[in-house]
Amino acid sequence: MSVTGLLFSGHSSCTRADTVVDRGIRRLPVLVTLFVLCAFAFFLPQPAQAQSPIPNAVPPTDTYSGPRVEQPIEFPHDVHVEQNGINCMYCHTYARRSKVAGIPPTSKCMGCHLVIATDKPRIQKLTEYWEKREPPPWNKVHDLPDFVHFNHEKHIDRFVLGNDFPVERVKEVCAFCHGEVKNMTVAEKSRPLTMGFCQRCHQANEGPFDCWKCHK
Amino acid sequence: MSLQNIIENWSSYRKGAEQGGHHNYEHLWGMVIDLNKCTGCGACVTACYAENNLAVVGHEKYSRNLGMNWLRIERYWDEPDLGEESVAEYQHHGASFLPMHCQHCSSATCEPVCPVAATYHTPDGLNAQVYNRCVGSRYCSNNCPYRLRYFNFYSYYEESWPAPLHMQLNPDLTVRDKGVMEKCTFCVQRIRTAKDTARRERRKVRDGEFTTACAQTCPTSAMTFGDLLTLHTPGGGVGETEAASLWKKHQVELGKSRQQKQNPELRGYRVFEGLNTDPRVLFLERVREV
């Protein structure tokens, strides 16, 4: 009764109380089902936002699997991105303003890891490098040939900053070429990054098609 | 411009300069070289070597015409007057210098002969050479009337930049290897950087914002680099640049194989203009006392 009463309290076209109750009782099973469904949907984790597509963009679909590049420290991207929700551009800070995305300086790592998770073996290894005043010798994963010119800034501008796309979701744009880094520990190359791969994406997204835009 | 585009638009691609060419230009980079100011010092050549990772081939290979200098200073000596003139007066007249780099012809003779379309015209009006597409047929070099294309007959990397010297290489450019044709690019890496900066700041490239390495180094500012698009399509590009105004001042028009000048004192000329290549480099004749 309380549910139906609440639902029909604003129903002004009905004048007599018994009619209201009648209608309410007849509709009760439907309403209860709806209510339960809504409640269920409310308490579920919401993947709807992440699935809304990126405007004005056709993401590439090619995949690649090659040898894994070993790193001095097994940096867990998944812990940082997926569990802690850190933006890609917090560490790869030059992506939006220069050709290269950049590897963060060790001081940026230590900004958090002086206090966070200092007992973990990877962090202790990082602290060793920090105390030796040496950067960890990271190995390059996404390596383009020397005759190719790729500009991160322009791509971020095209798909995120100049596209009314929230910067918080930039990882979906990064995933165009870098794959689902949020699910990886050490970053792996999961797109072919060949000329055909670039060209198909440029064709689909109306990018420039001049040889000298990319070749130098 | 992809290979497909070239194949599809082949008939218009072969159109000569006098029919207006085939290009929808965004820019039309060009140059003016004032030979009155040129002293033949060769600073531009050195600057080009430093900027564009040009290989130093050594004395022996250079004397066999294997030098890789994209910009060379040609010297022309006056005919000695064997009449009443003395030797001293001949020396006083001296040499004339002509800095020659790729003329970036609008209807370039090198472009249609390339079997793999490694050389083509960019929307910036540059005569481009795509090194990784080049197969080294050398047709382009043989078809260039200016002889301004240089072929890597050897791999110069080891001998040209031994151990610590490889640190001086410009990372914005490829180091070309054996079997690849190369040429002046009008410092395309600088053009690219300037255009990227302009795009970031949501504006057009400004005149004088950047210049080529040779023009930057020239101690007498004999070279003026700039956008000539206003000469091709009025009101386009960067607007009236210094270089374009010099072209106008000397009444040299693009897309012509013969200029009609009203004033005989105007000094502008283009090298081998009669071949209808429509070069993009204007030379201002040297004036001398007789």
Side-chain angles (χ1 to χ4, degrees), chain A residues 97-99 146-147 149 151 153-154 157-158 162 195 199 203 209-216, chain B residues 1-2 120 122-123 126-132 171-172 174 185 188 192 195-196 199-200 202:
Chain A
R97 52 179 94 121
S98 86
K99 277 192 273 190
D146 283 349
F147 49 78
H149 166 90
N151 197 331
E153 179 207 347
K154 276 188 166 178
D157 187 74
R158 160 70 178 78
M195 182 167 148
Q199 272 199 321
Q203 213 152 25
F209 242 84
D210 183 34
C211 305
W212 256 8
K213 280 275 187 236
C214 312
H215 287 299
K216 55 181 188 180
Chain B
M1 191 178 296
S2 62
Y120 75 105
T122 69
L126 299 171
N127 178 246
Q129 176 75 20
V130 185
Y131 303 125
N132 52 320
D172 294 336
T174 325
T185 60
V188 68
R192 195 179 279 141
K195 283 170 81 178
D196 286 354
R199 184 197 150 99
R200 186 189 304 132
R202 302 276 189 271

Side-chain angles (χ1 to χ4, degrees), chain A residues 186-205:
Chain A
V186 172
E188 289 166 43
K189 188 174 162 184
S190 63
R191 303 282 194 203
L193 302 187
T194 55
M195 182 167 148
F197 172 77
C198 294
Q199 272 199 321
R200 276 191 287 281
C201 192
H202 272 230
Q203 213 152 25
N205 292 299

Side-chain angles (χ1 to χ4, degrees), chain B:
Chain B
M1 191 178 296
S2 62
L3 179 63
Q4 195 187 357
N5 189 5
I6 294 172
I7 293 166
E8 280 170 7
N9 302 312
W10 185 246
S11 56
S12 61
Y13 192 75
R14 297 294 305 272
K15 218 185 262 181
E18 286 184 333
Q19 287 103 51
H22 68 292
H23 306 293
N24 294 319
Y25 291 119
E26 292 166 24
H27 296 282
L28 198 65
W29 302 112
M31 196 176 258
V32 182
I33 301 178
D34 191 344
L35 298 179
N36 250 358
K37 293 181 187 167
C38 178
T39 59
C41 67
C44 46
V45 183
T46 315
C48 189
Y49 266 88
E51 171 77 20
N52 290 310
N53 300 343
L54 299 190
V56 182
V57 297
H59 183 268
E60 190 265 327
K61 280 181 184 136
Y62 195 92
S63 58
R64 287 197 283 137
N65 273 346
L66 296 178
M68 303 302 291
N69 47 343
W70 289 359
L71 170 56
R72 62 171 186 250
I73 303 232
E74 294 183 352
R75 291 176 302 178
Y76 295 94
W77 299 93
D78 285 355
E79 286 282 330
D81 195 339
L82 300 173
E84 295 172 5
E85 303 268 324
S86 68
V87 178
E89 270 172 309
Y90 161 60
Q91 283 174 341
H92 173 72
H93 283 264
S96 359
F97 302 105
L98 189 66
M100 285 293 282
H101 52 71
C102 178
Q103 307 288 302
H104 290 272
C105 316
S106 287
S107 52
T109 49
C110 51
E111 285 168 15
V113 293
C114 182
V116 292
T119 175
Y120 75 105
H121 234 72
T122 69
D124 281 5
L126 299 171
N127 178 246
Q129 176 75 20
V130 185
Y131 303 125
N132 52 320
R133 183 175 252 181
C134 178
V135 295
S137 72
R138 313 200 299 278
Y139 288 175
C140 52
S141 173
N142 290 329
N143 216 32
C144 175
Y146 307 95
R147 288 287 175 273
L148 287 165
R149 287 174 156 265
Y150 300 90
F151 188 68
N152 285 278
F153 280 98
Y154 300 90
S155 186
Y156 296 109
Y157 183 78
E158 299 284 327
E159 57 182 277
S160 197
W161 300 281
L165 289 183
H166 70 279
M167 302 296 279
Q168 76 175 15
L169 288 170
N170 187 349
D172 294 336
L173 246 85
T174 325
V175 177
R176 283 80 50 184
D177 208 344
K178 183 161 75 175
V180 169
M181 188 64 71
E182 60 181 66
K183 62 177 276 293
C184 162
T185 60
F186 265 166
C187 290
V188 68
Q189 65 278 9
R190 293 181 177 214
I191 297 176
R192 195 179 279 141
T193 313
K195 283 170 81 178
D196 286 354
T197 314
R199 184 197 150 99
R200 186 189 304 132
E201 295 168 9
R202 302 276 189 271
R203 59 171 171 82
K204 282 184 176 177
V205 183
R206 289 191 211 102
D207 182 30
E209 185 179 346
F210 73 101
T211 186
T212 57
C214 50
Q216 185 189 0
T217 315
C218 185
T220 54
S221 308
M223 292 166 161
T224 314
F225 177 79
D227 194 342
L228 306 179
L229 193 62
T230 41
L231 304 176
H232 188 262
T233 44
V238 197
E240 180 87 358
T241 59
E242 195 189 337
S245 63
L246 276 170
W247 279 64
K248 268 191 186 163
K249 184 184 164 193
H250 289 275
Q251 292 176 7
V252 179
E253 288 176 42
L254 283 170
K256 284 195 173 179
S257 59
R258 191 179 296 169
Q259 308 289 345
Q260 289 184 331
K261 293 182 197 169
Q262 287 135 25
N263 185 352
E265 287 183 10
L266 294 172
R267 301 185 286 131
Y269 74 97
R270 298 190 287 178
V271 180
F272 292 162
E273 203 171 35
L275 297 179
N276 200 10
T277 51
D278 197 15
R280 207 75 53 68
V281 179
L282 175 71
F283 290 94
L284 304 183
E285 214 174 320
R286 186 172 170 187
V287 180
R288 287 179 174 177
E289 293 176 31
V290 181

